[in-house]
Amino acid sequence: MSDYRRVLLEVKNLKKYFPLRHGFLGRGAGTVRAVDGVNLHILQGETLGLVGESGSGKTTAGRTILRAFNPTEGEIIFHLQDGPATDIAKLGSTELRAFRRHAQMIFQDPYSSLNPRMTVRDIIAEPLVAGGVAQGDEVDDRVREIARRCQLSLEHLRRYPHAFSGGQRQRIGIARALVVQPQFVVCDEPVSALDVSIQAQILNLLMDMQKEFGLTYLFVAHDLSVVEHVSDRVAVMYLGRLVEVAPTADLFYQPLHPYTEALMSAIPALDPDEVMKPVILEGEIPSPANPPSGCPFHPRCPYAQDVCKQDMPPLKEYKPGRFAACHFADQLSLKGALKS
Amino acid sequence: MGKGFDMTQITEAVDVTPRPTPPPSVIARDAEIKYYTASQFQLMWWKFKKHRLALIGMVILGIFVFIALFAEFLSPYTPGARTPNYLFGGPQGLHFVDADGNFHLRPFTYALSAAMDPETFLLEVKEDTSDPWPVYFFVKGDPYKMWGLIESDIHLFGVEEGHLHLLGTDQLGRDLLSRLFHATRTSLTIGVVGLFISFFLGLIIGGISGFFGGSIDEVIQRFIEFIRSIPTLPLWMALAASLPREWSPQRVYFTITILLGLLGWTHLARRVRGKLLSLREEDFVVAARIAGSSDARIIARHLLPSFLSYIIVDLSISFPYMILAETSLSFIGLGLRAPVISWGVLLQDAQNIQAIALYPWLFTPVAFVIISVMAFSFVGDGMRDAADPYSR
């Protein structure tokens, strides 16, 4: 990866805790640490894949970065192309609303993310109208333009979401996110609710749009093959923390973190001769309300030593551009999904 | 295709129509488009129409509303008018065939005379077939003021000589049918007004509870639980008994309506809160927020339309409770009092064994209560099924 490219987004020590409430007046039943100290940066025009299993906090991280949730702690600094650096974690609600046009989101569920009571035209126009980006005829012009690019026809605009299939709905969602021409888009598992045949269409559309508008994506997903297809770099999340960040190819050839290795081994192989011995993880992902001591992965890690139970390994750069949070990242030789 | 053809044009041309659907006949296509562009309420109406009972209930309710609106005109007498020689008179039948067996197109009725059989002590009713009283449409009768505005003395039907009491008379000789029509107006308006008060309280308090959450929510919910834990009948009795006896019946009527509304909102508030809490987490609300919508816009454009249909359903279901509450309160003598006429007030006359044995027609208000409550339930049922046209 070229490091000459501009950094668009810097996330520093991002935390999002949800209070757990029980019983009368809900006093102190602990907190769920959904996102627990995430540091990452995303370069202008790249796609950063964010992967992890269910409950790892990747969706929460994506949503917190856009302030769909208010972060508990941390900074979310945008270096927009033509403007000063903005830490949106500190913005008040009016300034935040004004900022929204630069950062948008594409949702996982194409059914629940479109208001069934609005026409497609109104849905797509919402960011323009609500954010005060455009008025009058310009709204319709821009809606028509983005709808065309997202392969929706004009007559679709009069219809309601119930008239559309999952793939078409997802295109509506994409049109809504892109109509304000944002610089940054969080794609929250945009294809995981779709049929495999439709997935490719949507992914291609996303990649075309990226090329056309110079978009920067944070691509949240649990499907590694999808992530490999679209991402320039990949960040692996486990229990609210990043355990590894690396350029896509490097990560898939040789992961540095045992958790990444386990994830890789779970990708179904297309070639039946190429049998990869799966690394079976024991147990479930621990509860983020009660994370284990030391390295959060140690109860399930096949390589765990005593030190892992006590000390939390920090996310360190082991090779240029390759970060991992493991005490033995430079000693283990782990297998990736791809063979060199 | 000739030379110099641009490949990108191919993809463009293909992409414009996503997933081509097989071309059905033109009619089917029109129906499809109608469905695709149907708004929520159109979808709801289509679904509601399939519910036969609900449609019947709707028609019945329409009739009730019509009666309530035009009670003065529809009833043959004013509610206070007396027929002094016909106390506790039984229902007079309409006849088309006279005593000699001749058919008349214009219906007529006979005078009824009741006499106690000296041996069995049973009341014997005799029709005086010698003197038929023909029934006319749009007859001149007692003068009245429609809605307190329009003066008139034209009644939809009636007799010019003698008297016509299709449902009989009460102990003062007042026409039960006319009184029932006027009572329908009172009972329905009490339901509507009480419901509106409940509706606004429930919407606002439940809305605050659900939208802000946290400790505000906690306090409001405990308060609702407190109100709901009070047994209703003793509470009503206490409240109604505390109304000064010297208040005019109109004032009592007004106060009772407000009381019913003030006590009835808790159920609705809970529903609103629950719906808001679940809606707040819906992706399309998050999407609206990310799109830059203000709180006011989210509430007006996304939240309200989403749960309004549920609220309407709830209203139609809780309407019967209002009517029943009024009826039972008035029946035990704590609600409305004469000269205000409501279903409950009318039923006060039917409180003793004598009425059941001798004047069963005094019970006809019960039929109105039952029919209206059932009609509301059917309509509510149909609306509940139709409320979420997007359920798959």
Side-chain angles (χ1 to χ4, degrees), chain B residues 73 132 152 180 246 368 377:
Chain B
F73 171 67
S152 172
L180 204 43
E246 64 272 14
F368 269 56
S377 302

Side-chain angles (χ1 to χ4, degrees), chain B residues 92-95 107-111 128 131-135 159 163-164:
Chain B
Q92 289 169 274
L94 283 180
H95 300 271
F108 54 89
T109 186
Y110 295 119
D128 176 10
D131 182 17
W133 294 331
V135 176
V159 289
H163 52 76
L164 175 67

Side-chain angles (χ1 to χ4, degrees), chain A residues 130-188:
Chain A
V133 179
Q135 269 102 30
D137 287 345
E138 196 195 342
V139 174
D140 277 305
D141 290 346
R142 288 181 72 165
V143 168
R144 271 189 226 118
E145 170 65 14
I146 197 71
R148 191 183 62 78
R149 285 172 191 263
C150 293
Q151 295 142 29
L152 296 163
S153 74
L154 284 183
E155 80 183 297
H156 287 158
L157 293 178
R158 289 195 302 128
R159 298 182 182 176
Y160 286 85
H162 65 255
F164 297 91
S165 66
Q168 288 170 316
R169 280 163 171 255
Q170 201 58 303
R171 275 199 283 265
I172 298 169
I174 292 171
R176 167 177 62 190
L178 301 186
V179 72
V180 281
Q181 301 190 345
Q183 298 185 28
F184 176 69
V185 178
V186 171
C187 308
D188 183 9

Side-chain angles (χ1 to χ4, degrees), chain A residues 23-42:
Chain A
F24 191 63
L25 297 178
R27 221 180 295 252
T31 49
V32 173
R33 304 175 169 204
V35 180
D36 198 7
V38 163
N39 292 287
L40 56 83
H41 65 273
I42 304 179

Side-chain angles (χ1 to χ4, degrees), chain B residues 64-126:
Chain B
F64 271 104
V65 170
F66 187 75
I67 289 176
L69 277 178
F70 301 103
E72 289 98 341
F73 171 67
L74 294 176
S75 44
Y77 293 95
T78 54
R82 301 179 56 199
T83 309
N85 59 356
Y86 199 62
L87 310 184
F88 279 133
Q92 289 169 274
L94 283 180
H95 300 271
F96 289 94
V97 181
D98 64 18
D100 304 328
N102 297 325
F103 178 81
H104 299 266
L105 195 58
R106 179 172 297 287
F108 54 89
T109 186
Y110 295 119
L112 291 183
S113 61
M116 192 88 79
D117 188 309
E119 277 173 33
T120 59
F121 294 108
L122 282 177
L123 214 55
E124 276 191 354
V125 180
K126 268 194 204 143

